């Protein structure tokens, strides 16, 4: 919602592909409503549930949960022209491989989005102050990609072009690893996590395991990772992770591409990752509980 709303200010023919007809109708009738700390605005946006309407798209920005990346990639492969460019923004390690395997020969560009949002309704979103996005440097003879970046900047996004997007993916994993599952499982706000010795100790243990697998993957992470996490918690004191929102609403979480990916890499390199393994299993159990509760209703 947020990306579409902002980009509609600079790109006249943005289309939002959604799954549910109720959401499509809400957006087409009322527009996309964006709420920030300083203003509220509504933008007219076209929404569709028909993937065939993607057939003439020059570029598709993937803004799905990472567990939906594979099914979304199949939709793109089946319904877009081969000259279409795909901008993948999902959190997690190895996402780009999904699109490369399924959507080739389409051009795949990896990005890391730092825009935090909370969905309030089918057409309304609460947006944080961070408008940063890092995008893999590509061939800028590619007019479509360079024009998108220009339009994103005009819409207010702070776009960084990276020579090593994989390193930024891993750096985002610092915050993802240390906060998403802990916040989801406890329901504590970031300020409450910051003030709790147990949450800080657990975050440090999770990050130690991230550091171990990163070294084996030849990724250099900063030495002060817990300070990066604490700084993020200070900047968003009343916030809870998106994974918390997923759990309380009975949705699937992104745990397998977050802490779960650290477990898989640990197995690959024969490194023990007990803290990430345990927290991944705890989130799985909560998801199973939610599934059983829905069946009993």
């Amino acid at each position: 919602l947020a990306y579409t709303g902002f980009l509609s200010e600079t790109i006249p023919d943005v289309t939002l592909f959604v799954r549910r007809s109720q959401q499509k109708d809400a957006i087409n009738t009322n527009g996309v409503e964006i709420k920030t700390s300083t203003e509220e605005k509504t933008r007219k946006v076209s929404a569709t549930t028909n993937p065939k309407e993607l057939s003439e798209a020059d570029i598709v920005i993937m803004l799905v949960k990472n567990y939906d990346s594979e099914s979304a990639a199949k939709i793109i492969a089946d319904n877009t022209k081969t000259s279409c460019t795909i901008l993948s923004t999902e959190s997690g390690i190895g996402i780009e491989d999904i699109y490369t395997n399924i959507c080739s020969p389409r051009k795949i560009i990896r990005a890391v989005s730092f825009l935090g949002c909370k969905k309030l309704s089918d057409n309304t979103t609460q947006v944080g102050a961070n408008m940063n996005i890092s995008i893999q440097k590509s061939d800028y003879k590619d007019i479509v990609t360079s024009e998108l970046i220009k339009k994103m900047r005009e819409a207010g996004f702070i776009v960084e072009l990276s020579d090593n997007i994989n390193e930024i993916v891993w750096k985002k994993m610092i915050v993802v690893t240390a906060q998403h599952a802990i916040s989801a499982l406890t329901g504590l706000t970031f300020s409450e996590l910051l003030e709790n010795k147990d949450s800080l100790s657990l975050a440090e243990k999770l990050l130690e395991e991230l550091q171990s697998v990163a070294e084996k993957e030849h990724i250099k992470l900063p030495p002060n990772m817990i300070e990066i996490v604490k700084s993020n918690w200070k900047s968003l004191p009343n916030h809870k992770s998106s994974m918390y929102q997923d759990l309380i609403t009975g949705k699937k979480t992104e745990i397998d591409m977050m802490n779960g990916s650290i477990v898989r890499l640990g197995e690959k390199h024969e490194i023990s990752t007990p803290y990430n393994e345990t927290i991944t299993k705890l989130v799985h159990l909560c998801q199973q509980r939610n599934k059983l509760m829905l069946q009993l209703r």
Side-chain angles (χ1 to χ4, degrees):
L1 288 175
Y3 267 83
T4 311
F6 285 123
L7 288 175
S8 67
E9 299 176 12
T10 58
I11 302 175
D13 54 350
V14 174
T15 299
L16 179 60
F17 177 69
V18 297
R19 301 179 203 175
R20 295 182 298 108
S21 58
Q22 296 95 324
Q23 184 173 23
K24 177 198 70 174
D25 294 340
I27 293 169
N28 288 335
T29 301
N30 302 311
V32 169
E33 298 178 19
I34 297 175
K35 296 185 178 183
T36 70
S37 59
T38 58
E39 65 176 338
E40 297 183 13
K41 55 185 176 181
T42 301
R43 291 290 178 265
K44 186 66 178 174
V45 171
S46 174
T48 183
T49 55
N50 183 2
K52 295 187 183 302
E53 293 190 31
L54 303 174
S55 62
E56 295 303 314
D58 293 312
I59 189 161
V60 177
I61 304 176
M62 306 308 300
L63 298 161
V64 298
K65 296 286 189 179
N66 57 40
Y67 52 74
D68 281 332
S69 295
E70 184 172 347
S71 59
K74 290 176 181 176
I75 291 172
I76 298 304
D78 290 342
N79 293 282
T80 62
K81 55 192 178 185
T82 56
S83 60
C84 176
T85 296
I86 301 169
L87 187 71
S88 165
T89 70
E90 301 96 317
S91 296
I93 299 167
I95 298 294
E96 63 274 21
D97 294 337
I98 294 173
Y99 291 102
T100 299
N101 292 337
I102 296 175
C103 297
S104 182
R106 294 164 185 79
K107 184 175 185 178
I108 315 299
I109 301 178
R110 187 67 164 107
V112 179
S113 174
F114 297 93
L115 181 64
C117 302
K118 180 181 179 181
K119 182 181 174 183
L120 302 178
S121 73
D122 277 344
N123 69 307
T124 308
T125 184
Q126 180 80 43
V127 179
N130 193 338
M131 294 280 287
N132 293 59
I133 181 170
S134 297
I135 298 178
Q136 168 191 322
K137 266 190 180 178
S138 190
D139 178 4
Y140 285 97
K141 294 176 182 177
D142 181 344
I143 296 174
V144 171
T145 307
S146 58
E147 186 66 15
L148 172 67
I149 290 169
K150 175 185 174 184
K151 295 298 184 183
M152 291 182 81
R153 286 173 170 158
E154 290 174 358
F157 289 94
I158 300 170
V159 182
E160 173 196 0
L161 301 180
S162 174
D163 287 315
N164 190 351
I165 195 67
N166 194 40
E167 187 173 282
I168 296 176
V169 169
W170 276 81
K171 284 182 178 178
K172 186 175 180 181
M173 280 291 290
I174 294 170
V175 173
V176 167
T177 298
Q179 79 181 22
H180 277 44
I182 296 177
S183 174
L185 291 168
T186 63
L188 296 176
T189 64
F190 290 170
S191 65
E192 290 166 339
L193 292 177
L194 185 62
E195 295 165 2
N196 190 294
K197 289 189 294 184
D198 289 334
S199 59
L200 287 169
S201 176
L202 177 55
E204 287 182 321
K205 294 296 185 183
L206 293 167
L207 290 172
E208 286 172 8
E209 294 176 1
L210 173 66
Q211 179 73 55
S212 296
V213 298
E215 288 175 358
K216 291 294 185 179
E217 290 288 308
H218 308 292
I219 300 293
K220 187 175 181 180
L221 295 176
N224 61 333
M225 290 191 289
I226 192 61
E227 295 303 320
I228 293 172
V229 174
K230 288 163 70 174
S231 176
N232 188 65
W233 289 352
K234 287 177 184 176
S235 69
L236 297 165
N238 300 315
H239 197 72
K240 298 179 183 180
S241 71
S242 58
M243 191 178 292
Y244 168 78
Q245 300 297 328
D246 289 337
L247 279 185
I248 64 170
T249 55
K251 295 179 181 177
K252 189 176 179 180
T253 74
E254 298 180 282
I255 190 68
D256 289 324
M257 294 298 287
M258 294 181 174
N259 301 79
S261 67
I262 298 169
V263 177
R264 289 193 298 277
L265 287 171
E267 292 171 349
K268 171 185 172 183
H269 296 293
E270 298 183 344
I271 295 172
S272 178
T273 56
Y275 287 92
N276 280 280
E277 183 176 359
T278 298
I279 209 163
T280 299
K281 288 180 177 178
L282 286 171
V283 174
H284 284 164
L285 288 170
C286 288
Q287 290 178 168
Q288 179 65 14
R289 173 205 61 197
N290 290 343
K291 184 178 179 181
L292 291 173
M293 289 176 67
L294 284 172
Q295 292 173 350
L296 293 173
R297 288 180 183 175

